[in-house]
Amino acid sequence: MVCVSKAFKRVVFVLSVAIFAALGFGFVLGEFGWFGVHAGGEQDGAYKQMGVYAAVLKKIQTDYVTPPNMGDVTTGALHGLLESLDADSSYLTPSEYKIYKDRPATGVAQVGISVSKRFGYATIVSVLPGSAADKEHLTDGDVIESIGDQSTRELSLAVIRLMLEGKAGSSVTLSVVRPRKSDPDKVALTRSVAATPTLGEQQYDNSTILYLKPGVLTHARVEEMAARIKAEGKGRKVLLDLRDDSEGDPQEGLRLANLFLKQGTLATLEGQKFPKQTFTADPAAFVTDAPVAVLVNRGTAGPAELTAAAIETAKRGDVVGERTFGEGSVQKTIELPDGSALMLTVAKYETPEGKKIQDEAVTPTVMVETASDDSIDEDTPASKSDEPLNKALELLKAKNG
């Protein structure tokens, strides 16, 4: 792993901004024809900005207070450059990329959290129920300031995820910043191989409403949900709880939406050089036209967001809760000659109305904030304190089956 000293943080930040600004300036010049509108002109503009980059490096090397390690400075700048694009784009050094390639495909022990990057630091997207993170009361929105003694600001998202993995029984210490607390908490978590969450199921309103909580959107889980809905009959209302659901396959998120949508566009996927794909509902996969409501929160991410967005856009049912996390893209791994690699976002999922989920997330049709842990009395039943659930049930009860 590359550890950039605190003395270099400001230098790396300035260098990253300089590179990005230079490239952006070159793009503007090319776009408006100041260096010509042809490919050759754009190439010339890019070369001119490389001169700016070289000048910045030279000044750092010759004028900084102490002789800097230029390898560390350049690596830090590349990390910053990629992460300025989006949370999922990363630069991996040769040693980081080797670890990434050699990691086991299955059976890796985890601490029970899904993470992304927000505001430069690792941020918890969702927490697996019953996991080590859950037992320490970590929750979505908590910021991981450091892993061990390494600040997550200096680490790419791919490396952060690698550092959270390990052998079963091993431990990792996190410095976690929680809402409404000024000082970070030191939390030691023991890694374990997590079992796939079971399908949560319950009946409400004299068994007229079927509540389903997938936990993860895999092919098997969507098949299981389709079977449950079919078994309950066409008139049974469905409450789909996608809160803290961030794992799974985007295609399965679309398949889940298809259970409730007989026709129309579910989503699109497009990038600068990525052929546009349009995903439409398959009438043969449609299961029910009964009323449906979807619960979401800030831990709803990825495939679950595709489900919620498709149902909301088609006005098929109410989406209740909080604004979702905002995760929905495709990355391409590009190996570089020195053994390093880029993990570059090449396409983003869009709602049927053209909103990029990665950038805008999903805003519920009915906003209901989740009560904080501090405001819930331990003696209060969960169903009483779960305002989003209560609101969704209220909306479904008012609809004809």
Side-chain angles (χ1 to χ4, degrees):
M1 306 293 177
V2 174
C3 182
V4 181
S5 67
K6 291 182 179 179
F8 288 122
K9 287 183 179 178
R10 190 169 298 173
V11 177
V12 170
F13 174 77
V14 171
L15 180 57
S16 301
V17 171
I19 297 172
F20 202 61
L23 292 175
F25 184 60
F27 172 78
V28 170
L29 295 180
E31 281 292 291
F32 287 93
W34 296 348
F35 286 144
V37 296
H38 300 295
E42 292 178 359
Q43 192 86 345
D44 292 342
Y47 281 129
K48 287 180 182 293
Q49 305 320 309
M50 289 303 295
V52 175
Y53 171 61
V56 171
L57 281 179
K58 183 66 176 177
K59 285 297 181 184
I60 291 173
Q61 190 172 28
T62 59
D63 293 9
Y64 187 61
V65 61
T66 57
N69 182 319
M70 297 308 293
D72 285 351
V73 171
T74 302
T75 296
L78 289 171
H79 277 302
L81 180 62
L82 267 293
E83 290 173 25
S84 69
L85 301 175
D86 61 69
D88 293 313
S89 292
S90 301
Y91 167 75
L92 301 182
T93 65
S95 60
E96 291 170 344
Y97 186 48
K98 184 179 186 306
I99 295 171
Y100 178 81
K101 287 191 298 182
D102 294 343
R103 75 195 190 286
T106 59
V108 178
Q110 305 274 3
V111 295
I113 55 176
S114 173
V115 296
S116 187
K117 265 202 160 184
R118 289 293 185 271
F119 311 111
Y121 289 92
T123 301
I124 296 177
V125 181
S126 62
V127 178
L128 182 68
S131 66
D134 187 31
K135 292 173 184 175
E136 289 293 335
H137 307 293
L138 299 186
T139 186
D140 47 83
D142 286 350
V143 174
I144 302 174
E145 184 182 57
S146 62
I147 303 174
D149 60 355
Q150 290 190 265
S151 169
T152 61
R153 191 173 182 84
E154 271 79 50
L155 299 170
S156 66
L157 181 58
V159 171
I160 289 168
R161 289 171 174 167
L162 282 174
M163 291 178 71
L164 292 173
E165 299 175 353
K167 294 181 179 180
S170 63
S171 63
V172 60
T173 300
L174 309 180
S175 179
V176 181
V177 179
R178 306 174 191 256
R180 300 177 299 280
K181 290 193 69 174
S182 57
D183 297 324
D185 293 332
K186 289 287 185 182
V187 180
L189 303 175
T190 300
R191 301 180 180 97
S192 63
V193 179
T196 301
T198 58
L199 174 64
E201 181 181 345
Q202 199 165 335
Q203 303 282 349
Y204 287 100
D205 196 31
N206 297 319
S207 298
T208 62
I209 298 175
L210 173 65
Y211 167 94
L212 295 172
K213 184 173 180 61
V216 61
L217 293 182
T218 60
H219 184 81
R221 183 52 48 82
V222 175
E223 288 290 301
E224 186 179 1
M225 295 176 73
R228 291 299 303 123
I229 295 170
K230 289 177 182 177
E232 291 294 329
K234 292 184 177 180
R236 188 62 55 89
K237 302 172 188 177
V238 179
L239 176 52
L240 196 58
D241 191 346
L242 300 181
R243 291 177 295 181
D244 297 310
D245 193 328
S246 63
E247 300 295 329
D249 184 342
Q251 296 304 309
E252 300 310 320
L254 296 173
R255 283 186 64 234
L256 179 56
N258 200 164
L259 301 183
F260 305 96
L261 296 168
K262 193 172 186 177
Q263 60 186 7
T265 299
L266 301 174
T268 59
L269 179 63
E270 188 174 10
Q272 183 178 193
K273 292 187 177 180
F274 192 96
K276 182 175 182 178
Q277 297 180 26
T278 300
F279 305 97
T280 56
D282 177 6
F286 173 73
V287 172
T288 180
D289 59 2
V292 60
V294 183
L295 284 167
V296 298
N297 66 357
R298 57 192 177 184
T300 304
E305 287 180 287
L306 291 174
T307 302
I311 290 174
E312 181 179 71
T313 304
K315 295 180 171 55
R316 176 65 178 82
D318 292 304
V319 176
V320 181
E322 301 172 305
R323 185 175 182 270
T324 63
F325 187 81
E327 190 80 43
S329 60
V330 174
Q331 281 70 48
K332 178 181 180 181
T333 301
I334 304 169
E335 297 187 12
L336 301 177
D338 67 344
S340 61
L342 304 180
M343 298 184 71
L344 190 66
T345 297
V346 295
K348 292 183 178 182
Y349 283 95
E350 298 180 9
T351 68
E353 54 189 11
K355 294 181 179 178
K356 289 182 173 61
I357 292 176
Q358 181 94 356
D359 302 334
E360 301 185 48
V362 178
T363 301
T365 52
V366 181
M367 293 287 291
V368 182
E369 293 292 327
T370 301
S372 65
D373 292 339
D374 296 338
S375 65
I376 298 175
D377 192 314
E378 290 184 3
D379 296 327
T380 302
S383 60
K384 297 285 187 181
S385 61
D386 194 341
E387 290 302 321
L389 173 63
N390 294 337
K391 185 61 178 179
L393 288 171
E394 176 189 324
L395 292 167
L396 278 177
K397 290 174 184 177
K399 298 181 184 295
N400 295 321

